[in-house]
Amino acid sequence: MNQEPLFTLAYKAMQQAYSPYSNFPVGAAIQTDRGNFYTGCNVENAAYPEGTCAEAGAIAAMVLAGERNIKDIYVVGKGEHLVSPCGGCRQRIREFSSADTRVHICGPEGVRKILTLHELLPFSFGPEHL
Ligand code: THU
């Protein structure tokens, strides 16, 4: 298994997921510009739309700790396809990102693809537009 610390943190977060409806656990781990780590997992709900994504949980933990700047975010899920952040999570990441914030999309074996937030969400709307 890939031993990058952020990958390992995201993988451990995935193991804590509550995903009885999709049976698709996801974990996320953030490294901030200060070098600190925050993790999250998806938390589903019997009222399906109320479920939250792993990225949202990691961002909430980061904000709770008083931090605002995502340098790297790792997202881990199973299956053969890329577990690319959903549209809503791209915008959530955008709020706390710079153009060179990197999104590391991982499978259980390690990193599969690294994209900048700008590549995932070009021409995006952010705090500086207000
Ligand atoms: N999910 C995430 O947590 N993050 C992603 O990037 C993709 C999807 C979750 C939401 C839902 O609980 C499950 O995966 C299936 O969509």
Side-chain angles (χ1 to χ4, degrees):
M1 184 185 293
N2 189 314
Q3 290 305 306
E4 280 183 71
L6 272 157
F7 172 77
T8 303
L9 284 171
Y11 190 88
K12 285 181 177 167
M14 178 181 74
Q15 292 176 310
Q16 298 301 116
Y18 177 73
S19 54
Y21 306 108
S22 71
N23 197 25
F24 193 79
V26 181
I30 288 169
Q31 180 166 19
T32 64
D33 60 341
R34 294 188 200 163
N36 296 317
F37 300 142
Y38 301 96
T39 59
C41 61
N42 53 335
V43 181
E44 297 183 348
N45 194 284
Y48 295 169
E50 300 305 325
T52 51
C53 286
E55 297 90 326
I59 289 170
M62 178 191 77
V63 170
L64 179 63
E67 296 213 52
R68 295 287 185 270
N69 301 308
I70 301 171
K71 191 162 158 279
D72 292 280
I73 180 166
Y74 282 57
V75 182
V76 186
K78 296 175 181 166
E80 61 181 291
H81 301 291
L82 286 180
V83 180
S84 192
C86 74
C89 283
R90 294 178 193 200
Q91 186 66 35
R92 289 189 183 95
I93 297 166
R94 166 66 171 88
E95 185 73 15
F96 302 104
S97 291
S98 47
D100 60 349
T101 292
R102 284 172 303 182
V103 180
H104 304 248
I105 299 172
C106 310
E109 77 289 352
V111 177
R112 290 179 176 172
K113 198 167 185 65
I114 303 172
L115 296 164
T116 64
L117 194 271
H118 179 72
E119 288 174 308
L120 277 174
L121 195 66
F123 304 105
S124 64
F125 187 83
E128 69 275 15
H129 291 96
L130 297 173

